[in-house]
Amino acid sequence: CAISSGAIDPNERMETARRAIEVSLAIVEIRLDQLRKSGDNDWENVRIEVESAWEQLFRSIQRLITTISELSLLHRCMMAPPGRHKS
């Protein structure tokens, strides 16, 4: 198969992606709490930070999905019988 596993262990790649989601989710929770506690004057600034945190969480989830997809393809390639490569 023409796909390379790269230098990082698959388990490490999954763990890194999972941790990124946890961090992003924690930031979203903090920003939402700030939004709940914000006054009328601060609301707009905090809202922008909440939106930014949601976008970061979305990107982290996308990276995890990409990692799962890549590792799944790599696994299929590695498990294919010699001469028959699945894609």
Side-chain angles (χ1 to χ4, degrees):
C1 210
I3 296 175
S4 171
S5 63
I8 299 176
D9 175 55
N11 292 330
E12 186 177 334
R13 288 180 64 193
M14 288 292 292
E15 183 62 20
T16 299
R18 187 191 63 75
R19 278 193 312 264
I21 289 175
E22 286 181 356
V23 169
S24 296
L25 185 57
I27 292 170
V28 165
E29 290 172 347
I30 290 168
R31 298 295 184 235
L32 287 173
D33 189 50
Q34 290 173 338
L35 184 62
R36 279 190 289 274
K37 294 176 181 177
S38 67
D40 291 338
N41 296 333
D42 295 333
W43 184 85
E44 187 63 28
N45 291 333
V46 176
R47 181 190 63 83
I48 292 168
E49 292 177 8
V50 169
E51 289 176 356
S52 176
W54 275 116
E55 290 170 6
Q56 180 60 41
L57 177 59
F58 177 73
R59 285 190 298 272
S60 294
I61 292 169
Q62 284 181 314
R63 281 192 295 273
L64 176 62
I65 291 168
T66 298
T67 298
I68 291 169
S69 178
E70 289 171 354
L71 293 176
S72 176
L73 182 57
L74 176 63
H75 178 74
R76 285 188 305 198
C77 287
M78 292 173 64
M79 300 307 292
R84 284 194 66 200
H85 299 294
K86 299 177 184 179
S87 48

